[in-house]
Amino acid sequence: MKITKIRKNADGDITNVLTDEGIEMDVSKAVALAKLGQVDSVIVRKNKNGNDVIVSSSNSSLENNLDNLPTF
């Protein structure tokens, strides 16, 4: 599955994602699925607070950067 759209909070943090299968989920669920290899074009990294987050894989084009995806 691939993330196609995002939702951000007032601080600009991604809170939810929408997949190409029409599934909406919060970021923690997306992180869990990414750890299992079920989300294409993302990798799991630690943020500055030590929390797991998903980021675009290094081979993704700029257009596919999670922050640049359309919102829903």
Side-chain angles (χ1 to χ4, degrees):
M1 103 180 63
K2 184 174 181 178
I3 296 171
T4 58
K5 294 184 180 184
I6 59 169
R7 180 173 292 144
K8 294 182 180 184
N9 64 16
D11 293 328
D13 300 321
I14 298 172
T15 59
N16 293 68
V17 299
L18 185 68
T19 71
D20 58 348
E21 298 172 357
I23 300 169
E24 180 182 349
M25 65 186 86
D26 64 26
V27 171
S28 62
K29 174 79 173 182
V31 167
L33 291 175
K35 284 182 176 181
L36 296 172
Q38 296 181 4
V39 183
D40 298 334
S41 302
V42 297
I43 55 176
V44 178
R45 292 211 173 137
K46 299 277 186 196
N47 67 8
K48 62 184 175 186
N49 298 325
N51 298 320
D52 287 336
V53 295
I54 51 173
V55 297
S56 301
S57 61
S58 58
N59 63 355
S60 294
S61 68
L62 186 58
E63 294 81 27
N64 290 336
N65 183 304
L66 293 178
D67 279 328
N68 293 334
L69 290 176
T71 59
F72 70 101

